[in-house]
């Protein structure tokens, strides 16, 4: 805004025009005077007036209220204006200065308003990024869970199994059959020198997935040894150990080495051994059929040189290792059956995680089956609530009994222990008549009929709770 000083010949002096509403009138006077005089350009050292020194008219036009509000709020600081200004007689139009001032004020206001908007945008951007990260994390977790379920499903789980064979198994004739069966079912296998000779174990490759900082799925594989083992003996080894009386001790030593393993002992070709000795005895009794019996036995020379044991000796040892060492046994006669058994074990071990997951799911979903949620069962909680109802339900199972009869007995004898104690304190004749005269009320009121338990039901209950013979009959209807 420009300030104008008017020079004239008269003694009257015009003051500095500081108020914007008077600019228009002063401009008109200056225009009229400029027609007659041309004043030189004069520079003055001018200190702008403060807001307190300004004298505003009583009535301010509406066009300038906006500017005055800004001045009062100190949005335009006068200290920033230069102290020296040049004034000319040729001043610009007041409307142009007014528009310039309005533009300055509007630009400052927009800058003031835009700062919090930028902060809000940053916050919104951060929240949007957090939501995207959470969605990416949830998606990654769902991917991991889906892959885990897929890996343990039947068929897929076989890809993660490895059959570990001891190198001594190569000495057996059924070695090639086992490898062929594993190759046909696309099962990987490996040979090692196992601590237990002529044994088979299993390993599972487990993929562990995790999420990194960028919500990407990272997978690493680790090997887990399954606690199952198959020990394979030829029939000749089993016979030698039975003759030396070391059969059970060797199995017990294996159990000590592997206490947590599920062990199975497989004896190959032992049935043919017993068949040979059985027919050998028959040949001694019937010499005419000796040659025919020998023709029916395979590997005759092999069985001929072996010592003889009885089947009762073998059965006794098998029962002993099953009870003491918790070792299962299988007697297998041909290589194809042994190869099939190895495959079946591999499949069963591979599906263990899937079956456990399925069992947990069914236990959660059908837990009301365990509670016995039907009309014939009574639920008893840990605080003992329901024991009286259970006692009544037991009494209702007798013929000639009903809920009213059970309630009458429960009123006198609160539990089976009290009834048994009462039977102990009386003779058998008195015990059979103990419940005979107990009154039964069908309903409340003076007109209700009263009947008694009766001798037949009293006798049956007495026999039930005092008899030591489990085969005794309670009655014709029981």
């Amino acid at each position: 805004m420009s300030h104008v000083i008017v020079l004239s010949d008269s003694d009257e002096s015009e003051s500095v025009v500081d108020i914007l509403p008077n600019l228009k009138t002063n401009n008109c006077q200056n225009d009229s005077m400029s027609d007659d005089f041309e004043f030189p350009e004069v520079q003055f050292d001018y200190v702008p007036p403060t807001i307190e020194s300004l004298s505003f008219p009583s009535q301010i036009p509406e066009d300038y209220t906006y500017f005055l509000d800004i001045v009062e709020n100190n949005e335009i600081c006068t200290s920033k204006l230069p102290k020296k200004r040049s004034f000319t007689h040729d001043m610009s139009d007041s409307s142009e200065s007014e528009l310039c001032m309005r533009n300055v004020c509007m630009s400052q206001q927009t800058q003031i308003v835009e700062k919090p908007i930028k902060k809000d945008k940053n916050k919104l951007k951060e929240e949007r990024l957090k939501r995207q990260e959470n969605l990416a994390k949830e998606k990654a977790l769902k991917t991991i869970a889906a892959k885990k379920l897929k890996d343990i499903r039947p068929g897929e789980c076989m890809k993660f199994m490895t059959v570990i064979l001891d190198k001594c198994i190569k000495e057996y004739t059924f070695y090639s059959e086992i490898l062929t069966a594993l190759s046909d079912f696309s099962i990987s296998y490996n040979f090692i020198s196992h601590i237990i000779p002529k044994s088979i174990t299993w390993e599972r490759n487990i993929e562990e997935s995790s999420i990194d900082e960028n919500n990407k799925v990272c997978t690493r594989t680790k090997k887990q040894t399954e606690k199952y083992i198959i020990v394979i003996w030829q029939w000749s080894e089993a016979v030698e150990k039975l003759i030396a009386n070391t059969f059970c001790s060797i199995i017990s030593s294996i159990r000590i080495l592997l206490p947590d393993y599920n062990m199975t002992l497989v004896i190959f070709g032992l049935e043919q051994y017993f068949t040979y000795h059985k027919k050998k005895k028959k040949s001694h009794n019937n010499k005419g059929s000796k040659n025919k019996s020998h023709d029916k036995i395979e590997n005759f020379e092999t069985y001929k040189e072996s010592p003889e044991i009885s089947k009762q000796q073998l059965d006794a040892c098998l029962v002993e290792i099953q009870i003491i060492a918790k070792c299962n046994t299988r007697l297998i006669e041909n290589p194809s059956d042994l190869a099939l058994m190895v495959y079946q074990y591999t499949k069963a071990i591979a599906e263990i995680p899937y079956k456990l997951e399925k069992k947990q799911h069914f236990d959660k979903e059908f837990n009301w089956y365990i509670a016995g949620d039907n009309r014939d069962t009574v639920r008893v909680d840990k605080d003992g609530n329901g024991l009286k109802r259970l006692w009544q339900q037991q009494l209702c199972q007798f013929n000639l009994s009903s809920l009213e009869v059970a309630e009458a007995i429960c009123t006198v004898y609160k539990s089976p222990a009290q009834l048994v104690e009462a039977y102990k304190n009386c003779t058998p004749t008195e015990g059979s008549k103990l419940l005979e005269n107990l009154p039964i009320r069908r309903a409340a009121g003076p007109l209700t009929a009263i009947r008694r338990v009766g001798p037949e039901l009293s006798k049956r209950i007495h026999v039930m709770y005092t008899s030591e013979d489990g085969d005794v009959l309670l009655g014709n209807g029981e």
Side-chain angles (χ1 to χ4, degrees):
M1 183 177 65
S2 301
H3 298 276
V4 179
I5 298 175
V6 180
L7 301 179
S8 64
D9 295 336
S10 63
D11 295 331
E12 297 177 359
S13 62
E14 292 289 333
S15 62
V16 177
V17 181
D18 295 326
I19 310 303
L20 289 175
N22 296 329
L23 287 175
K24 290 184 179 181
T25 57
N26 292 332
N27 283 336
C28 295
Q29 293 177 3
N30 290 334
D31 291 340
S32 61
M33 294 175 65
S34 63
D35 295 336
D36 299 331
F37 303 98
E38 292 182 2
F39 296 97
E41 183 177 352
V42 182
Q43 295 184 357
F44 296 92
D45 290 335
Y46 173 71
V47 178
T50 60
I51 297 175
E52 290 79 3
S53 63
L54 295 176
S55 59
F56 294 95
S58 60
Q59 294 182 356
I60 300 174
E62 294 180 357
D63 297 336
Y64 298 97
T65 55
Y66 178 80
F67 173 73
L68 293 177
D69 291 338
I70 296 173
V71 174
E72 290 177 359
N73 294 330
N74 293 328
E75 293 184 5
I76 301 176
C77 298
T78 56
S79 61
K80 295 182 180 180
L81 297 175
K83 292 184 178 181
K84 292 185 179 181
R85 293 193 180 185
S86 60
F87 298 91
T88 60
H89 68 282
D90 188 10
M91 61 177 294
S92 60
D93 191 4
S94 62
S95 61
E96 294 179 0
S97 62
E98 182 182 349
L99 290 173
C100 181
M101 188 60 66
R102 283 179 181 271
N103 292 333
V104 172
C105 296
M106 290 296 292
S107 63
Q108 291 183 357
Q109 277 191 343
T110 53
Q111 290 178 0
I112 295 171
V113 174
E114 284 178 357
K115 288 182 180 179
I117 293 175
K118 287 183 179 179
K119 291 182 180 179
D120 293 339
K121 286 183 178 179
N122 292 332
K123 289 181 180 179
L124 291 174
K125 188 176 181 180
E126 291 177 358
E127 292 177 358
R128 185 167 62 252
L129 290 175
K130 287 182 180 179
R131 286 197 300 268
Q132 291 177 356
E133 290 178 359
N134 292 333
L135 290 174
K137 188 175 182 179
E138 291 178 1
K139 185 178 180 181
L141 291 174
K142 289 181 180 179
T143 303
I144 293 173
K147 190 176 186 304
K148 184 178 179 181
L149 290 175
K150 181 183 177 183
D151 291 344
I152 65 175
R153 289 185 180 277
E156 291 290 330
C157 58
M158 298 288 286
K159 300 177 182 178
F160 301 93
M161 296 301 299
T162 303
V163 181
I164 308 299
L165 303 169
D166 185 66
K167 292 181 179 180
C168 296
I169 295 179
K170 295 180 180 180
E171 302 173 1
Y172 292 147
T173 56
F174 49 77
Y175 158 74
S176 59
E177 291 285 341
I178 295 176
L179 296 187
T180 303
L182 294 177
S183 300
D184 292 342
F185 292 106
S186 301
I187 301 174
S188 60
Y189 56 88
N190 191 14
F191 288 94
I192 63 170
S193 295
H194 205 280
I195 188 173
I196 308 299
K198 302 172 184 177
S199 63
I200 300 175
T201 55
W202 288 265
E203 279 185 355
R204 186 192 302 272
N205 296 324
I206 299 177
E207 293 184 353
E208 294 183 347
S209 301
S210 59
I211 303 174
D212 60 4
E213 297 177 354
N214 298 325
N215 292 328
K216 292 183 179 180
V217 179
C218 301
T219 305
R220 66 185 185 92
T221 304
K222 72 173 185 178
K223 293 184 178 181
Q224 174 182 317
T225 302
E226 298 294 332
K227 295 184 177 181
Y228 293 86
I229 185 171
I230 294 177
V231 181
I232 303 175
W233 287 353
Q234 278 278 19
W235 65 269
S236 57
E237 298 177 50
V239 171
E240 290 175 1
K241 291 176 175 60
L242 283 170
I243 295 296
N245 200 18
T246 58
F247 190 97
C248 297
S249 60
I250 292 174
I251 298 298
S252 299
S253 63
I254 295 174
R255 171 55 64 194
I256 293 172
L257 290 174
L258 305 173
D260 299 331
Y261 275 64
N262 294 308
M263 184 167 55
T264 302
L265 174 64
V266 176
I267 302 176
F268 185 80
L270 194 59
E271 286 295 333
Q272 291 183 1
Y273 167 84
F274 287 118
T275 303
Y276 164 74
H277 285 285
K278 183 178 179 181
K279 291 186 177 182
K280 183 179 179 181
K281 290 180 181 180
K282 288 183 179 180
S283 65
H284 286 292
N285 297 330
N286 190 3
K287 295 182 179 180
S289 60
K290 182 177 180 180
N291 295 330
K292 294 181 180 180
S293 62
H294 285 175
D295 294 338
K296 294 180 181 179
I297 301 174
E298 298 179 1
N299 300 327
F300 172 74
E301 295 295 333
T302 304
Y303 293 115
K304 183 178 180 180
E305 298 176 356
S306 63
E308 184 179 356
I309 60 170
S310 64
K311 199 168 185 179
Q312 288 75 16
Q313 287 178 293
L314 176 66
D315 292 339
C317 290
L318 296 182
V319 172
E320 183 177 348
I321 63 174
Q322 185 174 7
I323 295 174
I324 297 175
K326 296 181 180 179
C327 176
N328 300 318
T329 55
R330 292 281 297 272
L331 303 179
I332 295 179
E333 298 304 315
N334 55 71
S336 59
D337 291 343
L338 180 58
L340 181 61
M341 175 191 167
V342 174
Y343 165 73
Q344 290 173 346
Y345 265 67
T346 305
K347 183 180 179 182
I349 294 170
E351 293 178 358
I352 287 176
Y354 173 76
K355 292 179 180 178
L356 291 176
E357 187 75 19
K358 189 176 180 181
K359 182 178 180 299
Q360 292 177 0
H361 174 71
F362 284 141
D363 289 345
K364 292 179 181 179
E365 187 173 357
F366 303 111
N367 55 358
W368 52 272
Y369 272 123
I370 302 173
D373 191 12
N374 57 62
R375 64 182 181 87
D376 294 329
T377 57
V378 178
R379 183 175 183 177
V380 180
D381 59 12
K382 60 182 180 180
D383 297 327
N385 298 323
L387 288 174
K388 181 180 179 181
R389 182 72 184 89
L390 180 61
W391 173 222
Q392 292 178 356
Q393 187 71 17
Q394 290 178 357
L395 294 173
C396 288
Q397 293 178 358
F398 290 94
N399 282 352
L400 305 177
S401 180
S402 62
L403 183 59
E404 293 83 3
V405 175
E407 288 178 351
I409 297 173
C410 290
T411 303
V412 180
Y413 303 100
K414 305 295 183 182
S415 65
Q418 293 183 5
L419 181 60
V420 172
E421 188 67 24
Y423 283 141
K424 289 181 180 179
N425 296 330
C426 60
T427 62
T429 304
E430 294 174 351
S432 62
K433 298 179 181 180
L434 183 64
L435 306 177
E436 181 178 348
N437 296 321
L438 288 180
I440 301 172
R441 287 184 175 271
R442 294 188 176 182
L447 300 178
T448 57
I450 298 176
R451 65 185 184 92
R452 303 185 184 280
V453 174
E456 187 66 25
L457 181 58
S458 177
K459 182 180 179 180
R460 292 181 180 184
I461 295 175
H462 175 261
V463 173
M464 174 68 183
Y465 287 100
T466 59
S467 177
E468 296 179 358
D469 184 7
D471 296 329
V472 68
L473 298 178
L474 300 180
N476 295 330
E478 298 293 337

